[in-house]
Amino acid sequence: MRRRDEVVSKSEILEHVWDTFDTDPNVVEVYVGYLRRKIDAPFGRNALQTVRGAGYRLAGDGG
């Protein structure tokens, strides 16, 4: 929420969430899917957005 509307790259997410950087980058995609099922799907919105080639963004307006 601190960086809403800002694009955050997979590598930034890996660096700040997991202690080891040798983790497979696809783990971010898996967890983004989990988050979407929890915060987007039940409410019919698209708050957690993929920015192709750049990363992910949390829409400040709730999507």
Side-chain angles (χ1 to χ4, degrees), residues 24-57:
D24 184 3
N26 289 333
V27 74
V28 175
E29 293 174 20
V30 171
Y31 279 91
V32 165
Y34 293 154
L35 283 171
R36 284 187 173 136
R37 284 191 287 278
K38 289 181 179 268
I39 67 172
D40 282 345
F43 306 103
R45 60 183 180 193
N46 185 25
L48 187 52
Q49 303 168 345
T50 300
V51 180
R52 256 181 93 144
Y56 301 95
R57 170 180 49 220

Side-chain angles (χ1 to χ4, degrees), residues 10-11 14 18 20-31:
K10 274 190 196 181
S11 60
L14 280 171
W18 285 272
T20 61
F21 194 73
D22 61 345
T23 305
D24 184 3
N26 289 333
V27 74
V28 175
E29 293 174 20
V30 171
Y31 279 91

